[in-house]
Amino acid sequence: MDAGTCLDLQPPDQMCGTDSAITGSSMSVYVDSAIHALRGRRMCHMFSPDLVELHAMAKDIGIEQRWFQDPLTMPVSWPHYDIDEGRRALAIGLGAIVCDRYQTVAMAAIIQGRPDKLRRIHNLADPNRAFAPAAHVPAWLAGQGFPQDWPW
């Protein structure tokens, strides 16, 4: 993934592949709440807009970089690691942020540079609708450093 993929949806100091120590940003690593069975193990995703930080976290929790799910070299839609529950707990202990399904989709949209996905989340977050399961996402994104201009 090249750095340009994420630029349109991120603050300028938080571009994909940048070193947060150099930019001074507080980029984070995320784990989703979806736990899926895979070969007898319970797995989830670990991801970040900052690939340097993502790989560093993977190393810290004992995941080899060869397990990185890279959309440039394999048929996956976004860059991430599949990690088991034990490694998920380690990542959370090291500061990874847990995301629900809507937060995960929003972060995937940012990582992929997909404003169309963010618009879908926007529709699910609209407080003027009777059913707004993602109403918490705009404020959560802003708190993560990804403010979106979503006028209702």
Side-chain angles (χ1 to χ4, degrees):
M1 168 183 230
D2 67 26
T5 305
C6 299
L7 298 181
D8 296 341
L9 299 171
Q10 293 187 37
D13 66 336
Q14 296 182 356
M15 298 179 282
C16 283
T18 61
D19 184 342
S20 58
I22 294 170
T23 64
S25 70
S26 58
M27 188 59 63
S28 298
V29 173
Y30 303 86
V31 293
D32 63 13
S33 297
I35 305 292
H36 302 283
L38 177 68
R39 297 184 187 130
R41 297 165 67 190
R42 294 170 48 89
M43 309 291 283
C44 74
H45 300 107
M46 182 173 73
F47 51 94
S48 176
D50 184 325
L51 295 180
V52 172
E53 191 163 335
L54 178 61
H55 294 311
M57 177 67 84
K59 182 178 178 184
D60 288 348
I61 65 171
I63 299 291
E64 295 178 33
Q65 191 165 340
R66 68 187 178 106
W67 294 107
F68 177 59
Q69 304 288 303
D70 187 348
L72 297 178
T73 62
M74 57 185 57
V76 296
S77 61
W78 60 317
H80 68 278
Y81 285 92
D82 292 330
I83 60 173
D84 65 23
E85 285 182 305
R87 299 274 162 80
R88 180 178 186 270
L90 288 172
I92 292 168
L94 291 172
I97 298 166
V98 178
C99 298
D100 67 21
R101 76 172 81 184
Y102 302 106
Q103 294 162 334
T104 298
V105 170
M107 288 304 302
I110 289 169
I111 291 167
Q112 293 172 313
R114 297 274 311 270
D116 58 312
K117 281 188 176 182
L118 278 176
R119 280 191 291 278
R120 283 186 240 149
I121 290 292
H122 175 269
N123 290 336
L124 292 172
D126 187 346
N128 298 316
R129 294 178 57 162
F131 179 66
H136 62 290
V137 173
W140 182 85
L141 282 173
Q144 296 301 311
F146 300 99
Q148 305 296 314
D149 182 20
W150 289 357
W152 304 107

